[in-house]
Amino acid sequence: GPSYEKILELRKQFVTPSAIPFYRKPLLIHKGEMQFLYDHKGVKYLDMFAGIVTVSVGHCHPKVNAALEEQIKTLWHTTCIYMHPKVFEYSEKLASKLPGDLKVVYLTNSGSEANDLAILMSRLFTKNYDILTFKNAYHGGSTSTMGLTAQSTWHYPVPGLKNGIHHVMNPDPYTGIWGGSNCRDSPVQTNRKCDCTQGKCLAEDNYINQLESEFKYSLPRGKLAALFAESIQGVGGSVQFPRNYLKRAAEIVRAGGGLIVSDEVQTGFGRTGENYWGFENHGIVPDIVTMAKGIGNGFPLGAVVTTQKIAQVMTEAVHFNTFGGNPMACAVGKAVLDVIDEEKLQQNALDVGTYLLKGFEILREKYDIIGDVRGKVRFKVFLL
Ligand code: PMP
């Protein structure tokens, strides 16, 4: 293949400059094998980034590869104009992973597309227009999801992106104005001073008050379509919310007529250890769940799952997606679900996650350079 230098040249001439790779001398990756990557010189790396939190079961996992190879030999593409068995088998299996009435699956190619669809669904269902989301959120880079995404890094200065979208303070116990919650009831431990009184998380109460005052003073009354929430803010910096925040926020939003959309693009598929979905850690059942990244282990795949009742609004017009749910994506998606179960990867996430959090916590106490140790914490981990 072309040399490293030649590739840098090609990149400059023929590839979009909008995405910036890591490192001044970006890595050139030729091969992946489970948790390892290999560069052009054959140097082996432990991949802690997993292609932006996407390679959920391992690079080129043999079982996923086998499922894809089999499908490639049989059928690549039909669209929804014809039926093929894989989309139905896969949807049934995916739906079985979700609680309650969350049983109707729409397959897409990415997280942005999934969130686009969730915006549409929530607006159609509620007949409302306004959408709430959090500061520091990331929900995608399409024209409408860019409006939900609340970090200037991801925004181009073009008008119209934020139509009907309102950002409320994200309940960030690390750096927020009520930060520094080091209390025993909080999901986080930081170097900052404890804010709590008698085991009650002040940050949680303060952020809920903030949300309530948005409803009181700023938001259009009774016009809410949805709240979009990541159950841990991912791109925003692994922000864990105070323990009961989302549950209380969901009650407020539902009382205001809005649906709850849980963006599980980063937090789904067992990754948070204790539960299969991040929202389960918050004791809520959303109305719409969006997912991508880990769902396909690197294959372009995303999904929206909702209830039969909400899904009915999507019959008012034809909603069409050429590639969404193609046979190859479904074969991969099904194999990924199987591998997560067979290899007990959810339990593994809990074990390894807990081990790392404990280890980093010990280092944090020793070294000032470490600010926060962020991760999904079993609430009792630090109460040893
Ligand atoms: N939601 C979240 C929480 C994400 O982290 C991302 C991607 N970083 C997206 C949505 C958008 O997904 P995609 O890049 O597949 O469009």
Side-chain angles (χ1 to χ4, degrees):
S3 68
Y4 185 88
E5 288 68 29
K6 176 73 185 165
I7 289 204
L8 286 186
E9 222 179 279
L10 294 177
R11 184 174 176 270
K12 218 169 169 176
Q13 278 189 54
F14 299 112
V15 177
T16 170
S18 71
I20 308 162
F22 280 8
Y23 312 122
R24 219 149 48 93
K25 250 188 126 195
L27 283 188
L28 176 59
I29 298 299
H30 276 240
K31 200 173 104 171
E33 228 172 48
M34 298 306 284
Q35 69 270 48
F36 299 111
L37 288 173
Y38 298 84
D39 72 9
H40 60 298
K41 291 183 179 150
V43 176
K44 184 178 180 181
Y45 300 86
L46 175 61
D47 182 12
M48 302 288 281
F49 199 50
I52 319 188
V53 214
T54 295
V55 182
S56 46
V57 302
H59 292 283
C60 302
H61 188 288
K63 182 155 183 173
V64 182
N65 273 12
L68 182 57
E69 276 163 28
E70 187 57 37
Q71 192 56 48
I72 280 175
K73 282 188 269 172
T74 326
L75 179 69
W76 279 36
H77 181 70
T78 55
T79 78
C80 57
I81 287 180
Y82 307 121
M83 298 195 292
H84 63 85
K86 282 273 162 9
V87 75
F88 303 101
E89 285 167 12
Y90 176 50
S91 296
E92 183 189 23
K93 172 114 193 173
L94 182 60
S96 78
K97 297 289 181 195
L98 283 133
D101 296 334
L102 291 164
K103 292 294 168 238
V104 185
V105 177
Y106 292 78
L107 295 172
T108 67
N109 308 289
S110 70
S112 300
E113 261 185 45
N115 283 328
D116 272 340
L117 190 53
I119 292 174
L120 177 67
M121 270 183 197
S122 62
R123 284 179 169 162
L124 285 173
F125 184 76
T126 59
K127 299 194 167 53
N128 291 339
Y129 186 65
D130 290 275
I131 292 185
L132 265 193
T133 181
F134 293 116
K135 292 188 178 173
N136 212 22
Y138 191 98
H139 293 292
S142 64
T143 306
S144 53
T145 57
M146 218 190 286
L148 292 174
T149 296
Q151 294 164 57
S152 60
T153 333
W154 311 96
H155 277 208
Y156 289 97
V158 292
L161 294 179
K162 301 231 173 260
N163 279 342
I165 294 169
H166 309 265
H167 290 100
V168 293
M169 199 66 182
N170 64 315
D172 177 350
Y174 308 96
T175 57
I177 48 177
W178 295 294
S181 174
N182 205 15
C183 73
R184 304 195 140 224
D185 202 36
S186 155
V188 291
Q189 302 278 299
T190 78
N191 268 337
R192 292 176 212 102
K193 269 217 186 113
C194 181
D195 252 356
C196 67
T197 48
Q198 293 139 21
K200 193 153 170 46
C201 182
L202 264 195
E204 180 185 304
D205 284 348
N206 284 329
Y207 282 116
I208 284 292
N209 290 343
Q210 164 89 7
L211 180 66
E212 275 172 341
S213 64
E214 294 280 347
F215 269 85
K216 206 162 158 192
Y217 301 118
S218 304
L219 296 172
R221 274 164 213 235
K223 295 265 181 63
L224 205 59
L227 166 73
F228 275 68
E230 297 161 89
S231 35
I232 294 172
Q233 285 189 326
V235 175
S238 268
V239 180
Q240 318 285 314
F241 298 160
R243 188 197 265 186
N244 294 311
Y245 177 87
L246 271 187
K247 198 172 173 182
R248 292 169 71 182
E251 282 163 17
I252 297 167
V253 167
R254 281 180 167 141
L259 300 182
I260 306 299
V261 180
S262 183
D263 180 331
E264 293 288 330
V265 169
Q266 291 214 15
T267 47
F269 300 94
R271 211 165 236 161
T272 63
E274 247 164 315
N275 289 298
Y276 206 82
W277 304 105
F279 62 77
E280 293 171 296
N281 301 321
H282 296 279
I284 54 171
V285 180
D287 304 291
I288 300 174
V289 180
T290 62
M291 51 195 87
K293 289 192 189 280
I295 191 175
N297 201 42
F299 203 88
L301 176 60
V304 181
V305 184
T306 189
T307 64
Q308 280 289 357
K309 200 169 157 205
I310 295 171
Q312 288 317 306
V313 291
M314 294 296 294
T315 56
E316 287 173 22
V318 178
H319 191 270
F320 182 76
N321 190 319
T322 301
F323 297 123
N326 89 54
M328 291 186 289
C330 292
V332 168
K334 170 135 188 324
V336 167
L337 291 178
D338 291 342
V339 172
I340 292 171
D341 287 349
E342 286 160 17
E343 298 184 9
K344 300 188 172 37
L345 294 184
Q346 186 183 326
Q347 183 62 42
N348 186 64
L350 183 60
D351 295 344
V352 175
T354 306
Y355 173 81
L356 281 173
L357 278 172
K358 279 184 178 170
F360 285 135
E361 186 53 27
I362 291 165
L363 292 176
R364 186 187 67 78
E365 270 167 18
K366 252 168 116 178
Y367 300 105
D368 283 347
I369 198 171
I370 303 177
D372 308 322
V373 174
R374 301 182 181 190
K376 169 72 183 70
V377 180
R378 287 176 101 166
F379 286 100
K380 296 289 178 260
V381 162
F382 295 114
L383 307 183
L384 305 174

